[in-house]
Amino acid sequence: MTVYFDAASTAPLHPVARQALTAALDEGWADPARLYRSGRQARMLLDAARETVAAVLGARADEIAFTASGTQAVQLGLLGALTGHRRRGAHLVHSAVEHSSVLHVAERHEAGGGEVSVVPVDRGGRVDPAAFGALLRPDTALAALQSANHEVGTVQPVGEVAELCAAAGVPLLVDAAQSAGRTDVPAGWSLLTASAHKWGGPAGVGVLAVRKGVRYSSPLPADEREGGRVPGYVNVPAIVAAAASLRAVRAEADRENARLHALVERIRARVPRLVPEVEVVGDPVRRLPHIVTFSCLYVDGEVLLTELDRAGFAVSSGSSCTSSTLTPSHVLAAMGVLTEGNVRVSLPYGTAEADVDRFLAVLPDLVAGVRAPLGLDLPAPEASTASAELPPRAEGRAGAVNDERQATDEGGSAGGRTVGAGSERPEASGRVTVIDALGKRCPLPVIELAKRIGEVPEGGTVAVLADDEAARLDIPAWCGMRGHEYAGEAPAADYGGDRGSAYLVVRRTT
């Protein structure tokens, strides 16, 4: 049986949602806009669901509209508020770690002539309220800030930002997809969005809440349903199930959050001790109780996730290799942490302690298996009392994949040379060791850097030539993890390359 540790993507259907859905399929199938008996019955169920959701989210029932997804709720909320406040201006402010639905709307807004300001985050993924407030202007039409991050679980200072937005007269949209049902809804929002399948409701139900008095103009053609904000027929049975499960998980939240928080804390503490060269990312204190993300150096995230799946664990990753666009996670990049070899564990309600312990027992061997073909000299992990209980490791898969990738990468190993006459190895004269990783996909440039850094004297420089965009993020992150100095970027042509960039690293004693 697979242990499911990916609740941040979608939570298993809550038993209450299943019961409510089955009942509503019999009682709420008719058109709630009709006056005949079955239509009135469906309308009563829809109204009751709206009131339930409003009560949990701290809104009025007439402020709640149901959408087809959380993404649609975000997009309609942003576009509707920007349109409604167009007389004020066309300036949008959002954090650097928002969900892609926010980023896509921002791109469209900018392409249409609007302005967008992006608030940076610290290494924990959290915005500075003062920095957010400093970007608000008289022509700012809307600000957006998630309640908590979907990749690393960091909780944002929504209350403080909301106060700054209110003082500036700027409406604030809060994407509460990850926190709704699990924690209290932050105060001060003007628009709020959520997604039912994140809290254990059925997929296909989103929530868009718009406070009374907030100017909102639908970006879509007029429709009489859902207060004119969301066109189309509503899925009454799914909405009923979403509302029932939201009320149920909120009632269980305090007890279950404490239990999941303790399990996540165990993962946060044990993984760096069991697996060498690992960094746990995200704010260690101000975080959701069920999410933990860690980055493994010299690991292809896709391979590691496959190995974990073979071992019976369903987890996800923010690595570029698992993205359909093959680009690094914008969240991890904004934080300045490693974008390769990431594992996100997000525990659903009811996660058993024994499953977490088994995950911790299996993980070290799997990571070691992925790294084995690389020939790196890594420190040994701590002895685990659970090591005797480790299940047999899947044979050969991790090594085979890495061997394949390296063997087909034009000879399998990135080349190295020294700039300057004489010896092939750098000396104290200040010559630069060049590692040619052009055409190599991350994490190979970082792996080759790790192999060669020991040959460089203290204070010597290494130039890594790479044309994979992820190297721009991962080499500085590697320096931060290993205690070396990242000296910046230069054109690859300066070091004999015909494309890409040269990433300069100064060796320090570690």
Side-chain angles (χ1 to χ4, degrees):
M1 294 291 293
T2 296
V3 177
Y4 186 75
F5 281 173
D6 195 21
S9 292
T10 188
L13 192 66
H14 195 284
V16 169
R18 190 180 301 276
Q19 295 168 4
L21 181 62
T22 301
L25 287 171
D26 293 330
E27 301 294 333
W29 57 270
D31 187 344
R34 301 296 173 241
L35 297 179
Y36 41 74
R37 183 181 181 86
S38 55
R40 296 197 308 272
Q41 177 67 28
R43 181 71 191 193
M44 290 174 59
L45 291 173
L46 180 61
D47 289 346
R50 199 183 309 276
E51 290 173 0
T52 296
V53 171
V56 174
L57 298 183
R60 292 171 32 156
D62 58 356
E63 294 173 334
I64 299 293
F66 293 108
T67 68
S69 67
T71 293
Q72 187 187 58
V74 169
Q75 292 177 343
L76 290 177
L78 288 169
L79 293 172
L82 286 168
T83 303
H85 293 84
R86 61 186 178 277
R87 290 186 179 179
R88 177 185 174 97
H91 180 227
L92 169 66
V93 179
H94 67 79
S95 85
V97 294
E98 296 298 309
H99 187 266
S100 59
S101 57
V102 174
L103 304 188
H104 293 157
V105 171
E107 290 170 1
R108 173 177 168 176
H109 179 65
E110 202 165 26
E115 288 188 74
V116 177
S117 294
V118 180
V119 186
V121 296
D122 62 20
R123 194 171 173 84
R126 185 176 167 91
V127 302
D128 177 5
F132 202 110
L135 292 177
L136 301 176
R137 309 185 323 210
D139 64 337
T140 303
L142 181 64
L145 180 64
Q146 59 189 190
S147 59
N149 186 258
H150 50 293
E151 289 193 27
V152 299
T154 297
V155 173
Q156 299 293 353
V158 172
E160 297 171 65
V161 170
E163 291 180 1
L164 296 172
C165 288
V170 176
L172 175 65
L173 183 146
V174 174
D175 174 11
Q178 288 298 332
S179 65
R182 292 184 178 272
T183 62
D184 292 335
V185 174
W189 55 268
S190 305
L191 302 97
L192 185 84
T193 62
S195 184
H197 73 103
K198 303 292 187 181
W199 68 63
V205 178
V207 178
L208 170 60
V210 182
R211 287 288 193 204
K212 286 293 182 183
V214 173
R215 292 176 181 172
Y216 183 93
S217 178
S218 176
L220 300 175
D223 189 277
E224 70 275 10
R225 298 181 189 271
E226 293 303 292
R229 296 185 187 125
V230 186
Y233 195 86
V234 291
N235 186 343
V236 175
I239 290 171
V240 169
S245 57
L246 178 61
R247 179 170 54 193
V249 298
R250 193 68 194 99
E252 303 165 354
D254 290 344
R255 181 190 72 253
E256 189 65 2
N257 283 349
R259 199 178 67 83
L260 294 180
H261 186 279
L263 293 178
V264 164
E265 195 60 41
R266 184 179 306 180
I267 297 173
R268 291 182 64 90
R270 292 296 294 160
V271 166
R273 299 179 198 165
L274 295 171
V275 181
E277 306 295 357
V278 164
E279 179 183 23
V280 180
V281 300
D283 195 297
V285 177
R286 295 165 294 194
R287 58 178 176 82
L288 291 174
H290 67 297
I291 297 178
V292 56
T293 299
F294 52 89
S295 302
C296 304
L297 273 175
Y298 322 124
V299 167
D300 185 314
E302 185 179 45
V303 175
L304 181 54
L305 263 60
T306 299
E307 290 300 301
L308 283 166
D309 182 45
R310 288 160 63 90
F313 293 94
V315 300
S316 64
S317 172
S319 299
S320 62
C321 57
T322 61
S323 168
S324 60
T325 59
L326 294 179
T327 57
S329 158
H330 71 276
V331 171
L332 301 175
M335 293 167 59
V337 299
L338 194 68
T339 66
E340 295 287 341
N342 305 103
V343 174
R344 181 186 69 182
V345 176
S346 49
L347 307 181
Y349 286 112
T351 294
E353 182 177 354
D355 288 336
V356 171
D357 287 340
R358 189 164 72 87
F359 173 79
L360 292 171
V362 166
L363 182 68
D365 254 16
L366 295 182
V367 176
V370 174
R371 288 171 169 169
L374 305 178
L376 295 171
D377 183 18
L378 299 176
E382 288 185 359
S384 171
T385 56
S387 59
E389 303 173 8
L390 288 175
R393 189 169 74 239
E395 295 180 1
R397 172 63 182 165
V401 173
N402 275 283
D403 283 339
E404 275 180 22
R405 293 190 177 180
Q406 289 177 277
T408 57
D409 246 341
E410 298 180 9
S413 178
R417 62 184 183 276
T418 301
V419 175
S423 171
E424 293 182 355
R425 292 289 177 260
E427 299 172 353
S429 60
R431 285 174 294 187
V432 176
T433 298
V434 176
I435 296 175
D436 186 354
L438 294 169
K440 310 299 189 292
R441 175 181 161 188
C442 280
L444 287 176
V446 176
I447 291 169
E448 294 301 329
L449 172 59
K451 288 180 177 179
R452 295 293 305 279
I453 194 71
E455 304 169 0
V456 181
E458 168 72 13
T461 299
V462 178
V464 183
L465 308 186
D467 53 0
D468 182 354
E469 189 67 21
R472 178 171 284 111
L473 307 168
D474 288 347
I475 290 175
W478 177 87
C479 291
M481 292 178 70
R482 296 304 307 273
H484 299 294
E485 177 186 343
Y486 179 64
E489 179 181 343
D494 292 353
Y495 296 89
D498 60 355
R499 65 190 186 278
S501 298
Y503 302 98
L504 306 179
V505 176
V506 179
R507 185 188 176 188
R508 301 302 181 198
T509 301
T510 58

mmCIF file of all heavy atoms in Angstrom, residues 281-320:
data_model
loop_
_atom_site.group_PDB
_atom_site.id
_atom_site.type_symbol
_atom_site.label_atom_id
_atom_site.label_comp_id
_atom_site.label_asym_id
_atom_site.label_seq_id
_atom_site.Cartn_x
_atom_site.Cartn_y
_atom_site.Cartn_z
ATOM 1 N N VAL A 281 14.149 23.529 4.163
ATOM 2 C CA VAL A 281 13.854 24.887 3.740
ATOM 3 C C VAL A 281 12.490 25.332 4.273
ATOM 4 O O VAL A 281 11.676 24.522 4.685
ATOM 5 C CB VAL A 281 13.898 25.023 2.201
ATOM 6 C CG1 VAL A 281 15.272 24.664 1.684
ATOM 7 C CG2 VAL A 281 12.840 24.150 1.536
ATOM 8 N N GLY A 282 12.271 26.646 4.236
ATOM 9 C CA GLY A 282 11.040 27.211 4.783
ATOM 10 C C GLY A 282 11.260 27.703 6.202
ATOM 11 O O GLY A 282 12.219 27.319 6.883
ATOM 12 N N ASP A 283 10.374 28.576 6.649
ATOM 13 C CA ASP A 283 10.480 29.126 8.000
ATOM 14 C C ASP A 283 10.294 28.013 9.024
ATOM 15 O O ASP A 283 9.294 27.291 8.991
ATOM 16 C CB ASP A 283 9.420 30.216 8.198
ATOM 17 C CG ASP A 283 9.690 31.067 9.427
ATOM 18 O OD1 ASP A 283 9.670 30.521 10.549
ATOM 19 O OD2 ASP A 283 9.913 32.284 9.275
ATOM 20 N N PRO A 284 11.234 27.845 9.956
ATOM 21 C CA PRO A 284 11.136 26.733 10.903
ATOM 22 C C PRO A 284 10.066 26.914 11.970
ATOM 23 O O PRO A 284 9.671 25.941 12.616
ATOM 24 C CB PRO A 284 12.530 26.700 11.545
ATOM 25 C CG PRO A 284 13.021 28.105 11.436
ATOM 26 C CD PRO A 284 12.468 28.628 10.140
ATOM 27 N N VAL A 285 9.591 28.134 12.161
ATOM 28 C CA VAL A 285 8.624 28.411 13.230
ATOM 29 C C VAL A 285 7.268 28.824 12.666
ATOM 30 O O VAL A 285 6.231 28.233 12.992
ATOM 31 C CB VAL A 285 9.168 29.506 14.178
ATOM 32 C CG1 VAL A 285 8.128 29.845 15.237
ATOM 33 C CG2 VAL A 285 10.477 29.059 14.815
ATOM 34 N N ARG A 286 7.281 29.822 11.800
ATOM 35 C CA ARG A 286 6.019 30.351 11.249
ATOM 36 C C ARG A 286 5.665 29.564 9.997
ATOM 37 O O ARG A 286 5.925 29.972 8.880
ATOM 38 C CB ARG A 286 6.178 31.840 10.954
ATOM 39 C CG ARG A 286 6.406 32.661 12.221
ATOM 40 C CD ARG A 286 6.915 34.049 11.946
ATOM 41 N NE ARG A 286 8.249 34.056 11.355
ATOM 42 C CZ ARG A 286 9.029 35.115 11.265
ATOM 43 N NH1 ARG A 286 8.619 36.283 11.743
ATOM 44 N NH2 ARG A 286 10.222 35.042 10.699
ATOM 45 N N ARG A 287 5.065 28.403 10.203
ATOM 46 C CA ARG A 287 4.798 27.483 9.108
ATOM 47 C C ARG A 287 3.506 26.709 9.358
ATOM 48 O O ARG A 287 3.003 26.653 10.488
ATOM 49 C CB ARG A 287 5.948 26.496 8.952
ATOM 50 C CG ARG A 287 6.224 25.690 10.218
ATOM 51 C CD ARG A 287 7.351 24.691 10.008
ATOM 52 N NE ARG A 287 7.705 23.971 11.236
ATOM 53 C CZ ARG A 287 7.060 22.918 11.700
ATOM 54 N NH1 ARG A 287 5.987 22.463 11.056
ATOM 55 N NH2 ARG A 287 7.441 22.315 12.814
ATOM 56 N N LEU A 288 2.979 26.136 8.300
ATOM 57 C CA LEU A 288 1.825 25.257 8.421
ATOM 58 C C LEU A 288 2.232 23.984 9.147
ATOM 59 O O LEU A 288 3.392 23.555 9.062
ATOM 60 C CB LEU A 288 1.266 24.928 7.047
ATOM 61 C CG LEU A 288 0.587 26.078 6.298
ATOM 62 C CD1 LEU A 288 0.216 25.655 4.884
ATOM 63 C CD2 LEU A 288 -0.650 26.572 7.049
ATOM 64 N N PRO A 289 1.293 23.339 9.833
ATOM 65 C CA PRO A 289 1.667 22.178 10.656
ATOM 66 C C PRO A 289 1.944 20.904 9.877
ATOM 67 O O PRO A 289 2.504 19.962 10.424
ATOM 68 C CB PRO A 289 0.435 21.983 11.556
ATOM 69 C CG PRO A 289 -0.701 22.550 10.762
ATOM 70 C CD PRO A 289 -0.125 23.716 10.014
ATOM 71 N N HIS A 290 1.593 20.859 8.584
ATOM 72 C CA HIS A 290 1.642 19.579 7.878
ATOM 73 C C HIS A 290 2.628 19.523 6.723
ATOM 74 O O HIS A 290 2.722 18.485 6.055
ATOM 75 C CB HIS A 290 0.242 19.235 7.353
ATOM 76 C CG HIS A 290 -0.254 20.167 6.275
ATOM 77 N ND1 HIS A 290 -0.473 21.503 6.496
ATOM 78 C CD2 HIS A 290 -0.568 19.943 4.969
ATOM 79 C CE1 HIS A 290 -0.915 22.055 5.371
ATOM 80 N NE2 HIS A 290 -0.964 21.147 4.439
ATOM 81 N N ILE A 291 3.372 20.599 6.459
ATOM 82 C CA ILE A 291 4.266 20.640 5.292
ATOM 83 C C ILE A 291 5.719 20.784 5.726
ATOM 84 O O ILE A 291 6.050 21.602 6.576
ATOM 85 C CB ILE A 291 3.903 21.808 4.351
ATOM 86 C CG1 ILE A 291 2.493 21.628 3.783
ATOM 87 C CG2 ILE A 291 4.910 21.921 3.212
ATOM 88 C CD1 ILE A 291 2.054 22.767 2.883
ATOM 89 N N VAL A 292 6.597 19.986 5.102
ATOM 90 C CA VAL A 292 8.038 20.139 5.288
ATOM 91 C C VAL A 292 8.707 19.848 3.950
ATOM 92 O O VAL A 292 8.338 18.905 3.244
ATOM 93 C CB VAL A 292 8.581 19.208 6.392
ATOM 94 C CG1 VAL A 292 8.239 17.752 6.127
ATOM 95 C CG2 VAL A 292 10.088 19.365 6.539
ATOM 96 N N THR A 293 9.674 20.681 3.590
ATOM 97 C CA THR A 293 10.413 20.514 2.336
ATOM 98 C C THR A 293 11.902 20.518 2.633
ATOM 99 O O THR A 293 12.378 21.330 3.418
ATOM 100 C CB THR A 293 10.079 21.654 1.350
ATOM 101 O OG1 THR A 293 8.678 21.621 1.061
ATOM 102 C CG2 THR A 293 10.855 21.500 0.050
ATOM 103 N N PHE A 294 12.619 19.583 2.023
ATOM 104 C CA PHE A 294 14.072 19.565 2.188
ATOM 105 C C PHE A 294 14.734 19.368 0.825
ATOM 106 O O PHE A 294 14.162 18.782 -0.091
ATOM 107 C CB PHE A 294 14.525 18.484 3.179
ATOM 108 C CG PHE A 294 13.996 17.106 2.916
ATOM 109 C CD1 PHE A 294 14.678 16.221 2.087
ATOM 110 C CD2 PHE A 294 12.819 16.674 3.506
ATOM 111 C CE1 PHE A 294 14.207 14.947 1.851
ATOM 112 C CE2 PHE A 294 12.319 15.402 3.275
ATOM 113 C CZ PHE A 294 13.016 14.528 2.452
ATOM 114 N N SER A 295 15.954 19.903 0.708
ATOM 115 C CA SER A 295 16.711 19.859 -0.540
ATOM 116 C C SER A 295 17.941 18.986 -0.354
ATOM 117 O O SER A 295 18.702 19.186 0.594
ATOM 118 C CB SER A 295 17.146 21.270 -0.941
ATOM 119 O OG SER A 295 16.037 22.131 -1.080
ATOM 120 N N CYS A 296 18.143 18.043 -1.262
ATOM 121 C CA CYS A 296 19.290 17.143 -1.214
ATOM 122 C C CYS A 296 20.292 17.538 -2.300
ATOM 123 O O CYS A 296 19.943 17.533 -3.486
ATOM 124 C CB CYS A 296 18.859 15.696 -1.449
ATOM 125 S SG CYS A 296 17.596 15.083 -0.317
ATOM 126 N N LEU A 297 21.502 17.858 -1.892
ATOM 127 C CA LEU A 297 22.536 18.155 -2.874
ATOM 128 C C LEU A 297 22.849 16.926 -3.726
ATOM 129 O O LEU A 297 22.767 15.787 -3.252
ATOM 130 C CB LEU A 297 23.813 18.608 -2.169
ATOM 131 C CG LEU A 297 23.947 20.094 -1.832
ATOM 132 C CD1 LEU A 297 25.207 20.331 -1.024
ATOM 133 C CD2 LEU A 297 23.942 20.951 -3.085
ATOM 134 N N TYR A 298 23.227 17.178 -4.992
ATOM 135 C CA TYR A 298 23.707 16.147 -5.912
ATOM 136 C C TYR A 298 22.656 15.076 -6.221
ATOM 137 O O TYR A 298 22.984 13.931 -6.508
ATOM 138 C CB TYR A 298 24.968 15.459 -5.362
ATOM 139 C CG TYR A 298 25.912 16.370 -4.658
ATOM 140 C CD1 TYR A 298 26.325 16.135 -3.354
ATOM 141 C CD2 TYR A 298 26.402 17.510 -5.306
ATOM 142 C CE1 TYR A 298 27.193 16.982 -2.702
ATOM 143 C CE2 TYR A 298 27.280 18.361 -4.661
ATOM 144 C CZ TYR A 298 27.668 18.101 -3.361
ATOM 145 O OH TYR A 298 28.530 18.950 -2.723
ATOM 146 N N VAL A 299 21.391 15.454 -6.158
ATOM 147 C CA VAL A 299 20.322 14.485 -6.385
ATOM 148 C C VAL A 299 19.390 14.999 -7.472
ATOM 149 O O VAL A 299 18.996 16.162 -7.459
ATOM 150 C CB VAL A 299 19.529 14.217 -5.082
ATOM 151 C CG1 VAL A 299 18.244 13.462 -5.362
ATOM 152 C CG2 VAL A 299 20.379 13.439 -4.092
ATOM 153 N N ASP A 300 19.049 14.133 -8.395
ATOM 154 C CA ASP A 300 18.015 14.428 -9.374
ATOM 155 C C ASP A 300 16.671 14.158 -8.695
ATOM 156 O O ASP A 300 16.379 13.022 -8.310
ATOM 157 C CB ASP A 300 18.196 13.528 -10.605
ATOM 158 C CG ASP A 300 17.220 13.861 -11.720
ATOM 159 O OD1 ASP A 300 16.031 14.024 -11.438
ATOM 160 O OD2 ASP A 300 17.654 13.970 -12.883
ATOM 161 N N GLY A 301 15.867 15.208 -8.528
ATOM 162 C CA GLY A 301 14.611 15.064 -7.798
ATOM 163 C C GLY A 301 13.674 14.057 -8.414
ATOM 164 O O GLY A 301 12.968 13.328 -7.702
ATOM 165 N N GLU A 302 13.646 13.985 -9.736
ATOM 166 C CA GLU A 302 12.752 13.051 -10.410
ATOM 167 C C GLU A 302 13.112 11.611 -10.066
ATOM 168 O O GLU A 302 12.241 10.775 -9.812
ATOM 169 C CB GLU A 302 12.818 13.265 -11.921
ATOM 170 C CG GLU A 302 11.826 12.426 -12.703
ATOM 171 C CD GLU A 302 11.920 12.700 -14.195
ATOM 172 O OE1 GLU A 302 13.047 12.766 -14.708
ATOM 173 O OE2 GLU A 302 10.864 12.867 -14.828
ATOM 174 N N VAL A 303 14.409 11.335 -10.030
ATOM 175 C CA VAL A 303 14.865 9.985 -9.686
ATOM 176 C C VAL A 303 14.519 9.652 -8.243
ATOM 177 O O VAL A 303 14.029 8.560 -7.943
ATOM 178 C CB VAL A 303 16.382 9.856 -9.918
ATOM 179 C CG1 VAL A 303 16.881 8.488 -9.456
ATOM 180 C CG2 VAL A 303 16.707 10.062 -11.390
ATOM 181 N N LEU A 304 14.746 10.602 -7.334
ATOM 182 C CA LEU A 304 14.468 10.343 -5.927
ATOM 183 C C LEU A 304 12.977 10.120 -5.694
ATOM 184 O O LEU A 304 12.582 9.224 -4.935
ATOM 185 C CB LEU A 304 14.976 11.507 -5.068
ATOM 186 C CG LEU A 304 14.769 11.369 -3.549
ATOM 187 C CD1 LEU A 304 15.373 10.058 -3.041
ATOM 188 C CD2 LEU A 304 15.367 12.552 -2.820
ATOM 189 N N LEU A 305 12.134 10.914 -6.344
ATOM 190 C CA LEU A 305 10.690 10.720 -6.187
ATOM 191 C C LEU A 305 10.249 9.371 -6.737
ATOM 192 O O LEU A 305 9.360 8.720 -6.170
ATOM 193 C CB LEU A 305 9.922 11.849 -6.876
ATOM 194 C CG LEU A 305 9.481 12.995 -5.963
ATOM 195 C CD1 LEU A 305 10.677 13.666 -5.301
ATOM 196 C CD2 LEU A 305 8.678 14.025 -6.746
ATOM 197 N N THR A 306 10.879 8.946 -7.829
ATOM 198 C CA THR A 306 10.558 7.633 -8.386
ATOM 199 C C THR A 306 10.952 6.534 -7.417
ATOM 200 O O THR A 306 10.208 5.562 -7.209
ATOM 201 C CB THR A 306 11.281 7.435 -9.730
ATOM 202 O OG1 THR A 306 10.832 8.437 -10.649
ATOM 203 C CG2 THR A 306 10.981 6.066 -10.310
ATOM 204 N N GLU A 307 12.127 6.670 -6.801
ATOM 205 C CA GLU A 307 12.570 5.670 -5.831
ATOM 206 C C GLU A 307 11.658 5.634 -4.604
ATOM 207 O O GLU A 307 11.353 4.558 -4.086
ATOM 208 C CB GLU A 307 14.013 5.947 -5.419
ATOM 209 C CG GLU A 307 15.033 5.677 -6.520
ATOM 210 C CD GLU A 307 14.999 4.230 -6.974
ATOM 211 O OE1 GLU A 307 15.224 3.329 -6.136
ATOM 212 O OE2 GLU A 307 14.728 3.997 -8.154
ATOM 213 N N LEU A 308 11.226 6.796 -4.146
ATOM 214 C CA LEU A 308 10.307 6.843 -3.015
ATOM 215 C C LEU A 308 8.969 6.214 -3.377
ATOM 216 O O LEU A 308 8.347 5.520 -2.558
ATOM 217 C CB LEU A 308 10.113 8.290 -2.552
ATOM 218 C CG LEU A 308 11.263 8.865 -1.723
ATOM 219 C CD1 LEU A 308 11.148 10.385 -1.612
ATOM 220 C CD2 LEU A 308 11.285 8.237 -0.328
ATOM 221 N N ASP A 309 8.531 6.433 -4.597
ATOM 222 C CA ASP A 309 7.287 5.816 -5.045
ATOM 223 C C ASP A 309 7.418 4.300 -5.068
ATOM 224 O O ASP A 309 6.509 3.576 -4.637
ATOM 225 C CB ASP A 309 6.922 6.354 -6.432
ATOM 226 C CG ASP A 309 5.602 5.796 -6.944
ATOM 227 O OD1 ASP A 309 4.634 5.765 -6.171
ATOM 228 O OD2 ASP A 309 5.547 5.382 -8.117
ATOM 229 N N ARG A 310 8.554 3.814 -5.559
ATOM 230 C CA ARG A 310 8.793 2.369 -5.577
ATOM 231 C C ARG A 310 8.845 1.801 -4.163
ATOM 232 O O ARG A 310 8.512 0.629 -3.939
ATOM 233 C CB ARG A 310 10.092 2.064 -6.316
ATOM 234 C CG ARG A 310 9.992 2.274 -7.829
ATOM 235 C CD ARG A 310 11.374 2.434 -8.457
ATOM 236 N NE ARG A 310 12.190 1.244 -8.313
ATOM 237 C CZ ARG A 310 12.228 0.247 -9.187
ATOM 238 N NH1 ARG A 310 11.471 0.289 -10.268
ATOM 239 N NH2 ARG A 310 13.019 -0.793 -8.999
ATOM 240 N N ALA A 311 9.270 2.630 -3.208
ATOM 241 C CA ALA A 311 9.323 2.189 -1.814
ATOM 242 C C ALA A 311 7.982 2.351 -1.103
ATOM 243 O O ALA A 311 7.852 1.987 0.063
ATOM 244 C CB ALA A 311 10.397 2.973 -1.060
ATOM 245 N N GLY A 312 6.989 2.938 -1.800
ATOM 246 C CA GLY A 312 5.647 3.020 -1.226
ATOM 247 C C GLY A 312 5.286 4.356 -0.640
ATOM 248 O O GLY A 312 4.384 4.429 0.201
ATOM 249 N N PHE A 313 5.942 5.457 -1.091
ATOM 250 C CA PHE A 313 5.635 6.788 -0.566
ATOM 251 C C PHE A 313 5.344 7.755 -1.714
ATOM 252 O O PHE A 313 6.156 7.905 -2.631
ATOM 253 C CB PHE A 313 6.793 7.326 0.281
ATOM 254 C CG PHE A 313 7.007 6.560 1.550
ATOM 255 C CD1 PHE A 313 7.915 5.521 1.600
ATOM 256 C CD2 PHE A 313 6.279 6.867 2.684
ATOM 257 C CE1 PHE A 313 8.099 4.795 2.762
ATOM 258 C CE2 PHE A 313 6.453 6.144 3.851
ATOM 259 C CZ PHE A 313 7.368 5.105 3.895
ATOM 260 N N ALA A 314 4.202 8.403 -1.646
ATOM 261 C CA ALA A 314 3.814 9.400 -2.638
ATOM 262 C C ALA A 314 4.131 10.779 -2.083
ATOM 263 O O ALA A 314 3.475 11.261 -1.160
ATOM 264 C CB ALA A 314 2.325 9.288 -2.953
ATOM 265 N N VAL A 315 5.169 11.421 -2.628
ATOM 266 C CA VAL A 315 5.560 12.770 -2.230
ATOM 267 C C VAL A 315 5.715 13.599 -3.496
ATOM 268 O O VAL A 315 5.628 13.088 -4.614
ATOM 269 C CB VAL A 315 6.872 12.779 -1.418
ATOM 270 C CG1 VAL A 315 6.731 11.961 -0.145
ATOM 271 C CG2 VAL A 315 8.029 12.246 -2.263
ATOM 272 N N SER A 316 5.950 14.889 -3.333
ATOM 273 C CA SER A 316 6.124 15.747 -4.507
ATOM 274 C C SER A 316 7.414 16.542 -4.369
ATOM 275 O O SER A 316 8.134 16.427 -3.378
ATOM 276 C CB SER A 316 4.926 16.685 -4.677
ATOM 277 O OG SER A 316 4.844 17.571 -3.584
ATOM 278 N N SER A 317 7.678 17.382 -5.365
ATOM 279 C CA SER A 317 8.937 18.114 -5.409
ATOM 280 C C SER A 317 8.742 19.449 -6.085
ATOM 281 O O SER A 317 7.870 19.606 -6.941
ATOM 282 C CB SER A 317 9.992 17.303 -6.173
ATOM 283 O OG SER A 317 11.156 18.062 -6.398
ATOM 284 N N GLY A 318 9.586 20.409 -5.710
ATOM 285 C CA GLY A 318 9.608 21.687 -6.402
ATOM 286 C C GLY A 318 10.732 21.769 -7.401
ATOM 287 O O GLY A 318 11.013 22.825 -7.937
ATOM 288 N N SER A 319 11.385 20.639 -7.667
ATOM 289 C CA SER A 319 12.527 20.630 -8.575
ATOM 290 C C SER A 319 12.103 20.906 -10.004
ATOM 291 O O SER A 319 11.000 20.575 -10.414
ATOM 292 C CB SER A 319 13.234 19.273 -8.526
ATOM 293 O OG SER A 319 13.718 19.009 -7.236
ATOM 294 N N SER A 320 13.030 21.480 -10.767
ATOM 295 C CA SER A 320 12.740 21.749 -12.170
ATOM 296 C C SER A 320 12.479 20.477 -12.948
ATOM 297 O O SER A 320 11.721 20.461 -13.900
ATOM 298 C CB SER A 320 13.912 22.514 -12.801
ATOM 299 O OG SER A 320 15.083 21.732 -12.754
#
